[in-house]
Amino acid sequence: MKISNIRIKNFKTFDETGIELSMSNLTAMVGENSVGKSNVLEALDLFFNFSKSKVSIKSFHHNDYLKKIEIELTLIELSEIEKKVFKSHLNDSQNLIITQYIISVTKEEDIELEKAAEDEIDFVESKHGTKIQATSDYEWASLNDKLPGKTNIKNWWKQELKLGDFNFKSYFDSDDVPSQEEYQEKLEKLWEEKTELIPTESITGDEKVLGWKSKLKANLPIFFYIPAIKNVADDLKVTSTSPLGEMIKWLSTSVSREIKDEFKEKSAVLVDELLTKIDKDDDGISKIQSLNNALNKNIGLNIGCELELRFGTPEIQDIIFPEPKIFANDGYDSELTQKGHGIQRLAIFSLLRTYNTFLFKKDRPIRNIIIGIEEPEIYLHPPVKRSTYRLLREISKDQDQVIYTTHDNFFVSVEHYDEIKLFRKEGKEKPKTSVYEFSVSQLKDFYSKHFQLEIDEKSIKDRYCHILDENKNEGFFAKKIILIEGQTEKYALPNYFFAKGFDLDNNCISLISAGSVDCLSYLYVIFNEFHIPCYIIFDGDKPKNDKPEDLPEKKRNDAINKSKRNKELYSILGLESTDNDYFFPDTFVGNQHAVWIHDFEYEFHKTLDNYEELKSSARALYKNDSKPLTARYISERIVNESPEKINNKIDTLIQNIKKLEWTHSIL
């Protein structure tokens, strides 16, 4: 059983309209601080591991505790056992949709919720329910939300249970709060009387009959929540109720289970032998027998029985496996609690790796695992980050899921863009969170629609796999992106921008080198569909001296291919090109793109009156003819010695990038 979809309403940054996002085996949530990423993990923790201590007035959107929190999960890939358990609750696709409602109530019956002080408010998990379709006669889904569960009738009875012209309280003989038995009886009667109004195929079951605390929760996946580090050692305690403590219990008990039976057989004999040796005093008198004689002598009256002190066979966990503790030896052997946060953080992932490779490969529980991790990159240096990201991918390959938040480009990948959920806070007076995502199927449809290319999903993935590096992944964390072709622009443009008072980093703008015109279009489509404003800068690559049609065959074919890429970019940008084999646009600096008729170097440097001198100096310094290094050298010399020679197109570029906003989807 896995989560395929999450809907959350009225919880923290999520308003009444809520957010909805799909879930993959591995899901990465990115976005600025305080935008709502961690709220998804907290909502999942509430759903699977509800506790009143996890809920406060601040848990409700803008503290509006009069409206209920709703957390809805769609669960797919149920096992045959799970399908049997939830048979009456499955939809036509054999999926399970469950909604959790968390409501505010007052601690005292005579206090109105609307007028209650904060310390007079309590919170309850009202019920978990599977979806029921509305009928033409009654809005059954809404009615179902309003009806109380058996355990909180008093709180619900104070509320209006009227829906349209139908009043559930009319089923009762009195206005007094009914008993649990009476309530259940009336509810069943209601269900029987109205069944004929409900299409049979639309009924997914009466969730209150199933029961959250028993059947339902016992058969759902286990959710491990690993929050951002405070002191991980607290979570690693076996006595803790934390999921990590449970994980350590599993690890330790899995070992004890291997030898438990053998221990039971042999330990009784060993205990008897040990007691025989240590029980006798120097005079050969049994100490235990002496104690038993004293017990019976001191009873003081005849009760018709004798008392006897006996030593039972100790449990293996008490002797061989007492409460486990994790130690770390970094030259100093000590408990994990005495180590730095970096080592503590690594201990978590060591447990995850052990879980993935050892325990559950041979001793797999029926229930699968969902791991929610807040910022797995904390305290890790780059090689360990890459290793940890691979580990998370490995864990999520089969039955289990991993959902995490991150601010690190090591933990996202352009290749796996369909696993990324981009969070953004929108609105000024009452800001709310929006979530953006982009699926492989959407990209597949895009290529089919715009370029008549029927490409399977694997091929699409492969297109992005070959252009990967951490720099490109950085785009998912930027407010704006400048997409450029290669290293030449990357080495020179920041110098010119900075000289003009335009600091990319301070403006949270990523300058991303695509590597080629082909990759420019790939990246633009992805980032644009995540609603990230993108400005494209590219070379028109028009042959400098000859007409394209007069070139030798090889160069002529190269020109045709470059022309095709120009046309593709223009098409994606919604601009007109030409049907001619050769399309090389003139130099242009527009609102969403800039193009140089030949290339960047020609436009910005070769027109300088001292270009050859500068190029020779660069060659002498670097001992090679590297175009990017030459471009950096020339840009630094101009900025430091002759800023008046900075091309005025830089000013236009800056103005347009500053004004850049996301406008529309290109799908």
Side-chain angles (χ1 to χ4, degrees):
M1 186 186 297
K2 295 179 179 179
I3 302 173
S4 70
N5 201 73
I6 302 174
R7 290 177 67 249
I8 306 171
K9 293 182 180 180
N10 201 42
F11 180 66
K12 295 195 171 182
T13 55
F14 311 133
D15 65 4
E16 276 195 291
T17 59
I19 60 123
E20 182 172 355
L21 60 155
S22 61
M23 291 283 109
S24 310
N25 279 11
L26 185 73
T27 301
M29 298 184 291
V30 304
E32 297 181 6
N33 289 320
S34 302
V35 77
K37 305 182 302 294
S38 298
N39 294 344
V40 174
L41 297 181
E42 290 180 23
L44 287 170
D45 191 40
L46 277 177
F47 185 95
F48 290 104
N49 309 304
F50 178 81
S51 169
K52 289 183 182 181
S53 63
K54 299 176 181 179
V55 185
S56 69
I57 288 176
K58 291 181 174 60
S59 300
F60 296 78
H61 184 62
H62 291 304
N63 300 339
D64 190 356
Y65 57 88
L66 298 178
K67 299 174 182 175
K68 62 178 176 290
I69 294 170
E70 298 183 31
I71 306 167
E72 180 186 284
L73 301 188
T74 301
L75 297 149
I76 62 172
E77 298 183 20
L78 276 69
S79 68
E80 292 305 313
I81 295 175
E82 290 164 346
K83 288 179 181 178
K84 186 176 180 180
V85 171
F86 299 110
K87 182 179 179 181
S88 61
H89 296 260
L90 303 180
N91 61 17
D92 293 340
S93 302
Q94 296 296 287
N95 298 330
L96 180 65
I97 302 175
I98 306 173
T99 307
Q100 179 194 47
Y101 304 95
I102 299 172
I103 62 171
S104 304
V105 296
T106 52
K107 295 177 180 178
E108 302 294 334
E109 291 185 24
D110 58 346
I111 301 175
E112 295 182 30
L113 183 61
E114 292 84 350
K115 300 177 182 178
E118 188 168 341
D119 62 353
E120 297 172 324
I121 296 175
D122 202 356
F123 309 98
V124 296
E125 174 191 54
S126 64
K127 69 178 178 65
H128 290 69
T130 55
K131 276 191 168 178
I132 299 181
Q133 271 190 357
T135 70
S136 57
D137 292 76
Y138 294 100
E139 297 178 10
W140 279 96
S142 300
L143 178 61
N144 199 47
D145 291 350
K146 290 175 180 279
L147 296 182
K150 291 197 299 181
T151 58
N152 53 11
I153 293 173
K154 286 184 179 179
N155 292 324
W156 275 98
W157 195 252
K158 292 184 292 182
Q159 303 183 40
E160 184 180 20
L161 298 180
K162 188 175 180 181
L163 186 67
D165 61 353
F166 175 78
N167 190 343
F168 182 62
K169 289 184 179 179
S170 66
Y171 271 60
F172 297 85
D173 300 327
S174 159
D175 290 335
D176 297 334
V177 179
S179 66
Q180 291 185 356
E181 292 77 13
E182 186 183 6
Y183 166 77
Q184 183 68 16
E185 178 187 338
K186 299 295 185 183
L187 180 62
E188 290 173 358
K189 179 183 176 184
L190 170 68
W191 221 254
E192 287 175 7
E193 291 184 0
K194 305 302 179 183
T195 298
E196 73 277 2
L197 301 177
I198 309 173
T200 304
E201 64 274 12
S202 300
I203 301 175
T204 56
D206 181 359
E207 52 285 332
K208 293 175 289 296
V209 174
L210 185 63
W212 172 249
K213 296 297 183 184
S214 54
K215 269 189 179 181
L216 186 56
K217 190 172 183 180
N219 288 278
L220 290 178
I222 300 168
F223 181 71
F224 289 136
Y225 179 34
I226 306 173
I229 286 292
K230 301 181 286 291
N231 186 358
V232 73
D234 291 339
D235 282 335
L236 294 175
K237 294 177 179 177
V238 172
T239 55
S240 170
T241 57
S242 72
L244 283 173
E246 291 296 321
M247 186 179 289
I248 294 177
K249 280 185 184 178
W250 283 347
L251 292 172
S252 61
T253 56
S254 70
V255 179
S256 70
R257 199 180 300 121
E258 299 284 335
I259 56 175
K260 189 172 183 178
D261 291 340
E262 185 177 356
F263 178 86
K264 281 185 174 181
E265 293 178 6
K266 297 182 178 181
S267 59
V269 178
L270 292 173
V271 169
D272 287 343
E273 291 178 356
L274 183 61
L275 285 174
T276 300
K277 292 180 180 179
I278 65 175
D279 183 38
K280 307 293 183 183
D281 60 19
D282 294 338
D283 298 325
I285 299 173
S286 169
K287 299 173 183 177
I288 296 175
Q289 188 57 51
S290 298
L291 180 58
N292 286 331
N293 292 339
L295 282 172
N296 287 287
K297 182 179 180 181
N298 291 324
I299 291 177
L301 71 161
N302 185 4
I303 60 174
C305 70
E306 291 186 355
L307 303 179
E308 182 180 0
L309 178 68
R310 296 178 182 174
F311 292 90
T313 303
E315 290 291 325
I316 185 172
Q317 288 85 356
D318 299 332
I319 299 179
I320 302 178
F321 295 102
E323 179 184 320
K325 297 179 180 178
I326 296 181
F327 284 74
N329 191 342
D330 56 354
Y332 171 65
D333 189 24
S334 63
E335 278 192 62
L336 191 63
T337 54
Q338 302 178 31
K339 302 300 183 184
H341 283 172
I343 292 178
Q344 291 183 0
R345 194 69 167 174
L346 287 172
I348 287 179
F349 298 114
S350 176
L351 281 171
L352 293 178
R353 188 180 296 277
T354 304
Y355 149 76
N356 187 51
T357 60
F358 172 64
L359 177 58
F360 297 124
K361 296 296 183 185
K362 63 176 181 177
D363 191 19
R364 179 85 200 184
I366 296 176
R367 300 160 67 190
N368 64 304
I369 308 296
I370 301 171
I371 301 173
I373 310 176
E374 204 173 347
E375 301 179 35
E377 68 270 15
I378 295 178
Y379 307 115
L380 304 182
H381 58 286
V384 181
K385 288 180 182 179
R386 283 191 286 268
S387 174
T388 301
Y389 179 61
R390 289 197 302 271
L391 170 63
L392 298 182
R393 299 205 67 82
E394 183 68 26
I395 291 174
S396 64
K397 269 187 179 180
D398 299 315
Q399 300 182 59
D400 301 321
Q401 286 180 280
V402 177
I403 306 167
Y404 62 92
T405 71
T406 185
H407 294 278
D408 198 302
N409 54 357
F410 281 97
F411 284 85
V412 295
S413 171
V414 172
E415 178 187 6
H416 301 290
Y417 62 86
D418 55 316
E419 299 172 346
I420 297 171
K421 315 299 167 185
L422 179 60
F423 287 63
R424 188 175 289 119
K425 192 173 287 186
E426 298 171 337
K428 293 182 179 180
E429 293 185 2
K430 285 190 173 183
K432 69 171 188 175
T433 297
S434 299
V435 183
Y436 301 102
E437 54 188 27
F438 189 42
S439 69
V440 178
S441 60
Q442 286 176 293
L443 188 57
K444 183 173 179 289
D445 293 342
F446 169 80
Y447 279 109
S448 176
K449 177 181 177 182
H450 287 264
F451 304 108
Q452 292 72 55
L453 293 174
E454 300 301 328
I455 309 174
D456 61 33
E457 294 191 1
K458 183 181 184 305
S459 298
I460 288 177
K461 286 276 190 178
D462 290 344
R463 284 185 174 225
Y464 289 87
C465 185
H466 80 282
I467 61 172
L468 296 181
D469 60 48
E470 284 79 16
N471 171 257
K472 297 179 180 64
N473 298 336
E474 183 185 310
F476 292 108
F477 303 92
K479 288 184 177 179
K480 297 179 182 180
I481 297 172
I482 303 172
L483 289 173
I484 56 178
E485 279 193 57
Q487 296 298 307
T488 301
E489 300 94 317
K490 189 167 185 174
Y491 278 30
L493 279 176
N495 291 331
Y496 292 135
F497 287 156
F498 194 78
K500 293 288 186 176
F502 186 47
D503 190 311
L504 296 179
D505 293 334
N506 285 346
N507 287 278
C508 201
I509 299 174
S510 290
L511 184 69
I512 295 179
S513 172
S516 70
V517 176
D518 290 334
C519 297
L520 272 178
S521 62
Y522 298 161
L523 293 174
Y524 179 79
V525 172
I526 293 294
F527 290 132
N528 185 75
E529 295 313 305
F530 277 96
H531 290 221
I532 307 171
C534 294
Y535 195 93
I536 297 182
I537 302 174
F538 66 102
D539 299 335
D541 286 322
K542 183 178 181 179
K544 294 183 176 66
N545 300 316
D546 302 303
K547 293 182 178 179
E549 56 268 25
D550 296 334
L551 293 170
E553 183 179 1
K554 185 178 183 307
K555 290 186 176 181
R556 188 168 65 249
N557 290 335
D558 287 343
I560 291 174
N561 288 331
K562 290 177 180 178
S563 174
K564 287 180 179 178
R565 292 193 290 269
N566 289 340
K567 292 177 183 179
E568 181 176 305
L569 265 179
Y570 265 55
S571 173
I572 289 174
L573 292 169
L575 304 172
E576 293 184 1
S577 57
T578 178
D579 293 332
N580 194 293
D581 284 344
Y582 306 106
F583 174 64
F584 304 104
D586 292 332
T587 294
F588 176 78
V589 182
N591 294 327
Q592 62 181 141
H593 83 286
V595 58
W596 324 121
I597 187 170
H598 298 301
D599 55 39
F600 176 87
E601 186 182 26
Y602 183 91
E603 198 75 34
F604 285 84
H605 292 164
K606 286 188 176 181
T607 54
L608 296 168
D609 53 14
N610 60 338
Y611 170 73
E612 292 298 333
E613 180 267 323
L614 291 170
K615 185 178 179 181
S616 296
S617 299
R619 186 187 299 114
L621 177 64
Y622 298 122
K623 304 297 189 287
N624 62 41
D625 290 321
S626 167
K627 287 177 63 177
L629 288 175
T630 300
R632 180 167 67 180
Y633 178 84
I634 294 175
S635 63
E636 289 175 348
R637 284 280 300 272
I638 292 174
V639 166
N640 293 325
E641 299 174 10
S642 311
E644 71 279 359
K645 292 184 179 181
I646 298 176
N647 195 307
N648 58 14
K649 296 182 185 68
I650 294 294
D651 293 309
T652 309
L653 273 175
I654 292 172
Q655 292 171 12
N656 290 338
I657 293 168
K658 283 182 176 180
K659 294 186 295 184
L660 182 68
E661 293 182 351
W662 187 88
T663 55
H664 65 282
S665 168
I666 60 175
L667 298 182

